[in-house]
């Protein structure tokens, strides 16, 4: 009986020998082949208030919750949260950031154009092209001395408001997001880049023109 058990164990080991060999080969080469397919994935440890919250496995087409901690208990059972991870979050994660960088650069240039015009004239123009040639800018309302509001467009839809008004007795500029149904606009105004331009932790970012 002992001999039979030994034979069975040996056959079992032999049947998996190629797995050991194939995995060892992969450990050497670290590339895909006919036996091993490598998928780019990343493990993310997320913290809430300096306490462990979630361990996420992010793959090319799926986000999985590997573990939840006490500070985020039962999130893995929340269907809405799982939908968020596998749609909005995954879409944002897979984006390379170039679209955001381009819009941010263009918006900053438009803001700079307006600032320079005011510093030169100490007034605003009711003709947008006098202040900036940026094709994404439109005037909503404008008083040469009191200021007003310009709209910055993304995908030809108003996405960012640029407000010109007195603040602390000085002419200043602030920018804010305008909600609409355009995904590119939403993607931009919810980005950290736009938040840095738009507001601080307590208030809007005020850009003084004088």
């Amino acid at each position: 009986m002992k001999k039979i058990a030994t034979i069975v164990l040996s056959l079992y080991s032999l049947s998996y020998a190629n797995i050991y060999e194939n995995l060892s080969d992969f450990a050497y080469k670290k590339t895909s082949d006919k036996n091993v397919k490598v998928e780019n994935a990343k493990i993310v440890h997320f913290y809430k208030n300096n306490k462990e919250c979630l361990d996420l496995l992010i793959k090319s087409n799926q986000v999985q919750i590997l573990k939840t901690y006490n500070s985020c208990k039962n999130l893995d059972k929340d269907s809405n949260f799982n939908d968020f991870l596998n749609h909005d979050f995954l879409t944002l994660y897979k984006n390379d950031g170039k679209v955001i960088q381009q819009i941010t650069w263009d918006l900053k240039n438009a803001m700079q154009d307006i600032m320079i015009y005011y510093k030169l004239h100490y007034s605003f123009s009711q003709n947008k092209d006098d202040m900036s040639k940026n094709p994404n800018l439109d005037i909503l309302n404008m008083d040469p001395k009191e200021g007003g509001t310009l709209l910055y467009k993304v995908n030809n839809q108003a996405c960012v408001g640029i407000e010109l008004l007195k603040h602390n007795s000085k002419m200043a500029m602030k920018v804010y997001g305008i909600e609409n149904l355009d995904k590119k606009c939403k993607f931009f105004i919810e980005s950290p880049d736009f938040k840095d331009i738009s507001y601080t932790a307590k208030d809007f970012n005020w850009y003084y023109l004088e």
Side-chain angles (χ1 to χ4, degrees), residues 71-92:
S71 62
C72 297
K73 201 172 181 180
N74 297 323
L75 261 182
D76 54 333
K77 298 179 178 65
D78 187 326
S79 60
N80 290 328
F81 183 68
N82 276 280
D83 285 345
F84 162 76
L85 288 178
N86 283 285
H87 293 92
D88 292 358
F89 172 79
L90 189 58
T91 299
L92 291 171

Side-chain angles (χ1 to χ4, degrees), residues 91-109 152 154 159-160 182-197:
T91 299
L92 291 171
Y93 181 80
K94 288 164 66 175
N95 185 277
D96 63 7
K98 290 181 180 178
V99 171
I100 297 297
Q101 291 172 5
Q102 179 59 41
I103 299 174
T104 301
W105 178 84
D106 190 60
L107 174 60
K108 284 183 174 180
N109 281 345
Y152 178 85
V154 172
C159 183
V160 175
D182 185 79
K183 290 183 178 180
K184 191 174 179 181
C185 171
K186 183 174 184 285
F187 186 56
F188 174 62
I189 63 177
E190 291 183 355
S191 70
D193 285 4
F194 179 71
K195 290 174 184 176
D196 285 344
I197 296 171

Side-chain angles (χ1 to χ4, degrees), residues 86-138:
N86 283 285
H87 293 92
D88 292 358
F89 172 79
L90 189 58
T91 299
L92 291 171
Y93 181 80
K94 288 164 66 175
N95 185 277
D96 63 7
K98 290 181 180 178
V99 171
I100 297 297
Q101 291 172 5
Q102 179 59 41
I103 299 174
T104 301
W105 178 84
D106 190 60
L107 174 60
K108 284 183 174 180
N109 281 345
M111 292 166 61
Q112 188 176 53
D113 288 345
I114 298 164
M115 291 178 189
I116 291 172
Y117 182 89
Y118 186 83
K119 287 180 183 296
L120 291 173
H121 300 89
Y122 280 89
S123 66
F124 302 106
S125 174
Q126 292 175 323
N127 181 353
K128 185 273 298 182
D129 288 340
D130 290 342
M131 295 189 289
S132 175
K133 303 296 184 186
N134 192 306
N136 293 313
L137 276 181
D138 276 334

